[in-house]
C-alpha cells in the first residue's frame, strides 16, 4: 500500500513483515497465522483503486425518472367545486367498495374468465392500454362502423374492470397498469372507460402506499385538475368524474394538500 494511502487508511492492527520460507505459496490455504496475514496483504495490494460496475442497460426499465412536483391541484371551474358533504359521501362509498372487494377477492378470483378475455402480462404497457381502453380509443378512432354496432366487441371497446379481472391482479400489476393509464392520460382526453379503470385500480391499491404509488396518484390528481379547467363545454358529468378522482386521492389516500376547497 502506498504511503499516502496508508495515512488515509491506517491499519487497525499493524502487522510487521512476516518471515516466511522460500516455498511460501499464496494460492494454497494458509497453514500458520503469518501465512494468513501475508496472504491478506497480497490480496489487498492486488485490489484496484477504482471499481466500475458493469451494468447492462437493456435490463433497466425504459422509464426510470419520476418527476415529482410539490404544487397542488388547480381549483375547480367556478360553480363546479364539490361540497364537503359530497366529498365525504364519496369517500364513504369508496371505502365500502374496497372492503367488499377485499372480503370477496378469493371468490371472484376463482371465477372463470370468458374465453375472449386474455389478460396481458404485467410489463406489457401497450397490451394493457388496449385491454382497458379498447383498440378504438387507443387508436383514436372516433366512431364505429355500422357492422361494429351490431354487438359489443370488447377488443375494440375495451374490457370493463370486472371483479373477476381486477381480483386476479397483484399489487405490482395494479401499480403498473395505473402507471400505464396515467401516462396515457397525460397526453389524451378523459373518457368513461378510463374513469372506470382508474376508480377500480384505486380501489385495489393497498395502504400504506408504496412510494411509487404515492407519486402516481398525486400525478393523477393534478392531471384531473388540469383537464377539468380545460373542459370547454363544462360537461357536468365529466367534471363530476374528475372531481371524484381528486377527492379519493386527496381525502381517502390522505393527500390533503391536493383537496378541493369546499364550495
Amino acid at each position: 500500500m502506498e504511503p499516502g494511502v496508508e495515512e488515509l487508511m491506517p491499519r487497525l492492527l499493524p502487522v510487521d513483515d512476516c518471515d516466511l520460507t522460500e516455498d511460501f505459496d499464496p494460492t494454497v490455504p494458509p497453514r500458520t497465522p503469518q501465512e494468513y496475514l501475508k496472504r491478506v496483504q497480497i490480496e489487498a495490494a492486488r485490489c484496484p483503486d477504482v471499481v466500475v460496475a458493469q451494468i447492462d442497460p437493456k435490463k433497466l426499465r425504459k422509464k426510470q425518472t419520476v418527476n415529482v412536483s410539490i404544487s397542488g391541484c388547480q381549483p375547480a371551474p367556478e360553480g363546479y367545486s364539490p361540497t364537503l358533504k359530497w366529498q365525504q359521501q364519496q369517500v364513504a362509498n369508496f371505502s365500502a367498495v374496497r372492503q367488499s372487494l377485499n372480503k370477496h377477492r378469493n371468490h371472484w378470483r376463482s371465477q372463470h374468465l370468458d374465453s375472449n378475455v386474455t389478460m396481458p402480462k404485467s410489463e406489457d404497457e401497450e397490451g394493457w392500454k388496449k385491454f382497458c381502453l379498447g383498440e378504438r380509443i387507443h387508436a383514436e378512432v372516433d366512431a364505429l362502423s355500422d357492422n361494429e354496432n351490431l354487438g359489443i366487441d370488447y377488443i375494440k371497446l375495451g374490457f370493463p374492470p370486472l371483479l373477476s379481472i381486477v381480483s386476479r391482479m397483484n399489487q405490482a400489476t395494479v401499480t403498473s397498469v395505473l402507471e400505464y393509464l396515467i401516462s396515457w392520460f397525460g397526453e389524451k382526453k378523459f373518457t368513461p372507460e378510463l374513469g372506470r379503470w382508474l376508480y377500480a385500480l384505486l380501489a385495489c391499491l393497498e395502504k400504506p402506499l408504496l412510494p411509487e404509488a404515492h407519486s402516481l396518484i398525486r400525478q393523477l390528481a393534478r392531471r384531473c385538475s388540469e383537464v377539468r379547467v380545460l373542459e370547454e363545454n363544462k360537461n357536468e358529468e365529466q367534471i363530476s368524474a374528475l372531481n371524484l378522482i381528486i377527492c379519493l386521492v386527496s381525502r381517502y389516500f390522505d393527500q390533503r394538500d391536493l383537496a378541493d376547497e369546499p364550495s
Side-chain angles (χ1 to χ4, degrees), residues 153-169:
D153 186 345
Y154 286 118
I155 301 299
K156 289 185 170 57
L157 298 177
F159 290 92
L162 302 175
L163 289 172
S164 57
I165 293 177
V166 297
S167 294
R168 285 175 162 80
M169 300 169 65

Side-chain angles (χ1 to χ4, degrees), residues 30-235:
R31 293 167 297 179
T32 66
Q34 289 77 13
E35 288 184 356
Y36 171 76
L37 293 174
K38 187 61 178 178
R39 183 174 178 179
V40 171
Q41 291 175 337
I42 293 173
E43 291 179 352
R46 291 174 178 174
C47 291
D49 295 334
V50 178
V51 178
V52 179
Q54 299 298 321
I55 300 176
D56 184 359
K58 295 180 181 179
K59 295 183 179 180
L60 298 176
R61 293 186 60 186
K62 63 180 181 179
K63 294 181 179 179
Q64 290 290 314
T65 302
V66 177
N67 295 321
V68 179
S69 172
I70 60 174
S71 61
C73 289
Q74 298 186 32
E78 186 176 354
Y80 290 91
S81 182
T83 64
L84 179 59
K85 182 178 180 180
W86 182 88
Q87 294 183 65
Q88 292 172 337
Q89 184 62 54
Q90 301 312 312
V91 169
N93 294 343
F94 183 68
S95 179
V97 169
R98 284 172 60 92
Q99 292 176 13
S100 178
L101 177 60
N102 290 331
K103 182 178 180 180
H104 301 290
R105 185 182 299 276
N106 289 335
H107 166 74
W108 288 109
R109 185 182 296 163
S110 65
Q111 300 301 302
H112 293 291
L113 297 175
D114 291 340
S115 58
N116 65 330
V117 181
T118 302
M119 296 174 62
K121 294 182 179 180
S122 179
E123 65 274 12
D124 185 2
E125 180 172 353
E126 293 305 311
W128 273 109
K129 289 177 182 178
K130 292 178 182 178
F131 184 87
C132 299
L133 306 175
E135 292 181 350
R136 178 173 63 91
I137 292 178
H138 185 266
E140 297 184 305
V141 178
D142 293 331
L144 298 174
S145 67
D146 292 338
N147 292 334
E148 291 172 330
N149 283 321
L150 296 178
I152 298 178
D153 186 345
Y154 286 118
I155 301 299
K156 289 185 170 57
L157 298 177
F159 290 92
L162 302 175
L163 289 172
S164 57
I165 293 177
V166 297
S167 294
R168 285 175 162 80
M169 300 169 65
N170 58 30
Q171 280 301 290
T173 302
V174 169
T175 304
S176 293
V177 177
L178 190 60
E179 179 182 1
Y180 301 153
L181 296 184
I182 292 174
S183 174
W184 187 89
F185 184 35
E187 300 177 355
K188 309 293 182 180
K189 62 183 180 180
F190 185 83
T191 67
E193 293 83 357
L194 175 63
R196 285 192 288 268
W197 267 100
L198 290 175
Y199 187 95
L201 293 171
L202 290 176
C204 295
L205 204 57
E206 294 180 358
K207 296 176 70 174
L209 295 175
L210 295 174
E212 182 179 2
H214 177 271
S215 175
L216 284 172
I217 65 171
R218 289 182 64 85
Q219 181 182 343
L220 172 61
R222 294 192 188 95
R223 178 56 180 164
C224 287
S225 72
E226 294 172 357
V227 172
R228 70 180 178 183
V229 169
L230 299 175
E231 174 63 32
E232 297 179 355
N233 300 324
K234 295 297 181 284
N235 184 310

Side-chain angles (χ1 to χ4, degrees), residues 76 80-95 228 240 243-252 255-256 258-263:
Y80 290 91
S81 182
T83 64
L84 179 59
K85 182 178 180 180
W86 182 88
Q87 294 183 65
Q88 292 172 337
Q89 184 62 54
Q90 301 312 312
V91 169
N93 294 343
F94 183 68
S95 179
R228 70 180 178 183
S240 179
N243 286 347
L244 173 59
I245 295 176
I246 296 172
C247 169
L248 298 180
V249 170
S250 60
R251 298 193 179 274
Y252 184 86
Q255 308 301 308
R256 297 305 176 94
L258 303 180
D260 282 315
E261 293 297 329
S263 58

